[in-house]
Amino acid sequence: MSRVIFTIGRQYGAGGRTVAAEIGRKLGIPVYDNELLTEAAKEFGYSPDIFKKRDEKHHLFGLSRLFSTQAYNAPNYMGDNMLFEMQSKAIQDIATKSSCVIVGRCADYVLRNEKNLVSAFLTASMPVKVERIKKRLEVDEKTARKIIERKESSRKNYYNGYTLGNWGESSSYKICLNTDELDIEACADILIDYARKAGFVE
C-alpha cells in the first residue's frame, strides 16, 4: 500500500475518533488523536507540551489576526502562533513517516499539499449527537447539549483562527459524512473506499 493520509475533522458526538480507530484497524495503520500526537511528537524531538497546552482551543490570537497591528503588541501572540507552527511541523513529520489517520488539529489544512490525502469531516444532527453524548458521559439532555455547543464552538474558533478557513464547510474537505444513519464500520468503509477509488490504497 502506498502512503495514504486520512484526516478526520468532526463535530462533537459525530463519532470521529471511533471512525478513525476503525480505519486504522482495517488498514493496519497508526491513528493519532491528541494523546498519541503528543507521544509521536516526542519521537521527533518535540516537547510534549506543544500538544498538551492547546486542546483545539483558540487562545486570543491566531493566524486570522496576523495582520492586526494590535496583535503584535499582545504578550501571548507569538507564543500561540509559534506553538501552532510547531504543532503543524510535528504533524507534517508524523505524516511523512507512514500511512496514518490524524484526528482534528487542523490536520486537513496542515497537510493540504499531501498528494494522497483523504480529508474528511464527520457531522450528525443535534438530536443524534445529544443521545450519543448522554450515553457516553452519562449526563442529561440539557447538559449534553451544552457540552456539544461548547466543544464545537472551541473547535470552530481554533480551526477558523489558525487556518483562515471555515470549520465544517464542505469545500474545505474532500468528503463529508453525516453519521446519523451510518454505523462506525460503514463510515470507515466509505472513507477507505474513497481512498481506493482515488488510487491511494490498493
Side-chain angles (χ1 to χ4, degrees):
M1 180 177 70
S2 59
R3 186 170 60 91
V4 58
I5 309 299
F6 294 84
T7 61
I8 308 295
R10 73 282 186 226
Q11 291 182 334
Y12 191 70
R17 186 171 294 184
T18 49
V19 170
E22 184 66 7
I23 294 171
R25 186 189 70 79
K26 284 177 174 287
L27 295 181
I29 61 177
V31 178
Y32 298 99
D33 58 14
N34 187 50
E35 292 180 2
L36 292 175
L37 279 172
T38 298
E39 292 303 311
K42 293 180 188 176
E43 297 180 16
F44 289 94
Y46 295 96
S47 165
D49 288 342
I50 69 169
F51 287 108
K52 286 182 178 179
K53 286 182 178 178
R54 294 292 184 268
D55 185 17
E56 288 189 301
K57 295 177 182 176
H58 179 53
H59 290 253
L60 295 180
F61 300 101
L63 295 183
S64 63
R65 299 292 298 276
L66 184 62
F67 300 105
S68 168
T69 55
Q70 293 179 349
Y72 290 109
N73 296 320
N76 78 323
Y77 170 75
M78 288 302 292
D80 280 349
N81 283 284
M82 287 181 67
L83 190 62
F84 179 75
E85 289 177 9
M86 290 175 66
Q87 289 177 355
S88 298
K89 184 63 169 62
I91 288 170
Q92 289 167 343
D93 287 345
I94 290 165
T96 61
K97 186 177 181 181
S98 67
S99 295
C100 63
V101 188
I102 301 177
V103 181
R105 294 291 179 180
C106 304
D108 62 285
Y109 180 83
V110 172
L111 300 174
R112 63 193 181 281
N113 294 323
E114 281 285 332
K115 183 178 179 181
N116 293 356
L117 173 69
V118 179
S119 57
F121 189 85
L122 273 56
T123 183
S125 65
M126 181 59 82
V128 169
K129 291 185 291 186
V130 166
E131 287 304 311
R132 289 172 179 169
I133 298 306
K134 281 171 59 179
K135 182 177 180 180
R136 185 197 306 172
L137 302 182
E138 298 182 344
V139 295
D140 60 27
E141 182 172 342
K142 183 178 180 181
T143 301
R145 186 177 290 271
K146 285 183 177 179
I147 292 171
I148 291 167
E149 291 173 349
R150 184 176 69 250
K151 288 280 190 178
E152 292 189 354
S153 176
S154 178
R155 288 176 181 176
K156 180 179 180 179
N157 290 339
Y158 179 86
Y159 188 94
N160 292 359
Y162 285 117
T163 70
L164 300 177
N166 292 301
W167 180 78
E169 186 174 290
S170 60
S171 61
S172 297
Y173 310 89
K174 291 188 176 180
I175 183 169
C176 296
L177 286 181
N178 184 304
T179 66
D180 281 3
E181 289 135 5
L182 298 172
D183 62 22
I184 298 305
E185 184 173 8
C187 292
D189 286 341
I190 289 170
L191 297 180
I192 292 170
D193 190 52
Y194 179 100
R196 286 201 172 105
K197 283 183 166 54
F200 304 159
V201 178
E202 295 178 358

